[in-house]
Amino acid sequence: MKKWFLLFFAAFMLTACSETTMDETPAETEKENSALEEDRPTAAEAEKEKVALQENEEAAPSESEKEAAAENEHFIPAKVVRVIDGDTVKVLVEGKEETLRLLLVDTPETVHPNKPVQPFGPEASSFAKSTLSGKEVELELDVGERDKYGRLLVYLHVDGKMFNKLLIENGLARVGYVYAPNTKHVDELYELQKAARKKEIGIWSIENYATEDEGFNGGEEKAEAPKAEAPKAEAPKGEPAGACTIKGNISSSGDKIYHMPEGQYYDVTKEEEMFCTEEEAVGAGYRASKR
């Protein structure tokens, strides 16, 4: 009997607790839900947080930007005091005047003591003067700092751009004087040269004028003494002496091209062979110059 009483009492207590819990649950649940609603951001607030997160991500510098910033810390500030020609400049740096030679670029000559003014040399000098004169610039060095003449060897930055690249992009210089270990930017410059050559702008607009390895044709050093002239082809019978004036030239890509005296590039073309008639040039495998 006692056992049954205990069982009945336990069941009664469980029922009472269950009812109490059920009575209290809705109120507590409502209270908890209300607290959650207060903590939950509204749609507008959520959108605002999303926009702020995106702005922060966009503002964060990329790895390439971080690398560029790290490089910029090593640039040397200077001021241009004189432009000598397209690839040589005088600057004032740390209170001292220095002559700069731009790395990995070669512009046609305008002031060389033993060479004539070359095509597009004046244009390169004019471009340098209009871009650099009086400007605050930054000097980027490579491994070797100076050449045998004591000039600083630099990549010159102006208005956030590398001037060496600007010369190549505009067809005013070729990639030249490539000597290790000063080759940090050589691949970039070769890519820009390829594009300028494809567009046939500047120095690349003159057939066989600019070469990748031998500089510029038509700008040979002035001779100190008269040189013996190369033998000219004999004139065909019936032609007057001295009539062999057609220049035959073989380009760096192997094209055989002949130039007439009235042609646009006749004077700057270096002859491989001389012909007296166009028929003779064609028979030797040459084609006429397009200009």
Side-chain angles (χ1 to χ4, degrees):
M1 183 68 180
K2 186 176 180 182
K3 182 177 179 182
W4 283 105
F5 175 77
L6 289 173
L7 287 172
F8 176 77
F9 181 73
F12 174 77
M13 292 298 293
L14 286 172
T15 302
C17 290
S18 176
E19 288 177 355
T20 302
T21 303
M22 289 178 66
D23 290 341
E24 294 175 354
T25 298
E28 291 178 356
T29 302
E30 185 178 352
K31 186 176 180 181
E32 290 175 1
N33 289 341
S34 177
L36 288 171
E37 287 295 331
E38 290 178 0
D39 293 337
R40 184 181 301 159
T42 64
E45 290 173 335
E47 183 64 25
K48 187 175 181 181
E49 288 180 4
K50 183 179 178 181
V51 170
L53 183 61
Q54 289 176 342
E55 288 177 350
N56 289 336
E57 289 177 352
E58 291 173 359
S62 63
E63 287 302 318
S64 59
E65 288 174 332
K66 288 178 182 178
E67 291 175 5
E71 279 192 3
N72 290 348
E73 290 179 1
H74 302 292
F75 288 1
I76 302 169
K79 184 173 182 178
V80 175
V81 294
R82 183 187 168 200
V83 175
I84 297 174
D85 61 13
D87 52 31
T88 311
V89 181
K90 284 188 178 290
V91 300
L92 195 64
V93 54
E94 296 178 353
K96 179 183 176 183
E97 187 172 285
E98 292 274 9
T99 301
L100 310 181
R101 177 62 173 82
L102 304 189
L103 278 166
L104 305 179
V105 298
D106 179 28
T107 61
E109 295 294 347
T110 56
V111 295
H112 196 287
N114 296 318
K115 291 183 180 180
V117 174
Q118 296 175 318
F120 286 99
E123 288 85 346
S125 293
S126 178
F127 179 70
K129 288 174 182 176
S130 63
T131 306
L132 301 174
S133 294
K135 289 286 190 71
E136 299 289 339
V137 296
E138 293 179 309
L139 316 182
E140 178 185 358
L141 303 179
D142 211 324
V143 179
E145 289 189 6
R146 295 183 185 271
D147 64 9
K148 63 182 179 180
Y149 304 108
R151 299 177 298 185
L152 273 177
L153 301 172
V154 304
Y155 305 104
L156 183 61
H157 295 261
V158 58
D159 298 329
K161 297 178 181 178
M162 186 194 293
F163 186 68
N164 309 52
K165 290 183 179 180
L166 293 177
L167 286 170
I168 299 292
E169 282 177 339
N170 288 281
L172 297 174
R174 69 180 189 94
V175 178
Y177 303 106
V178 181
Y179 304 119
N182 289 345
T183 56
K184 186 193 300 185
H185 296 291
V186 69
D187 290 338
E188 302 166 59
L189 292 172
Y190 270 129
E191 285 300 312
L192 293 172
Q193 176 171 279
K194 188 186 297 181
R197 189 171 189 172
K198 187 175 181 181
K199 295 176 184 175
E200 296 185 350
I201 57 175
I203 60 175
W204 306 108
S205 67
I206 304 178
E207 203 165 32
N208 303 319
Y209 171 51
T211 66
E212 292 188 1
D213 303 318
E214 299 178 3
F216 301 97
N217 289 324
E220 296 84 0
E221 290 190 4
K222 294 177 182 177
E224 294 181 2
K227 293 183 179 179
E229 291 186 4
K232 294 182 179 179
E234 292 183 5
K237 290 180 180 180
E239 291 286 344
C244 301
T245 57
I246 301 173
K247 291 182 178 181
N249 176 271
I250 302 175
S251 71
S252 57
S253 60
D255 291 334
K256 289 185 170 184
I257 303 165
Y258 69 84
H259 297 258
M260 301 295 290
E262 65 273 14
Q264 184 176 354
Y265 307 128
Y266 183 83
D267 292 336
V268 297
T269 297
K270 184 177 181 180
E271 68 274 12
E272 309 279 350
E273 297 182 65
M274 296 296 292
F275 300 103
C276 300
T277 65
E278 290 189 73
E279 289 78 10
E280 184 185 351
V282 172
Y286 288 77
R287 66 168 176 82
S289 172
K290 295 177 182 178
R291 303 185 186 184

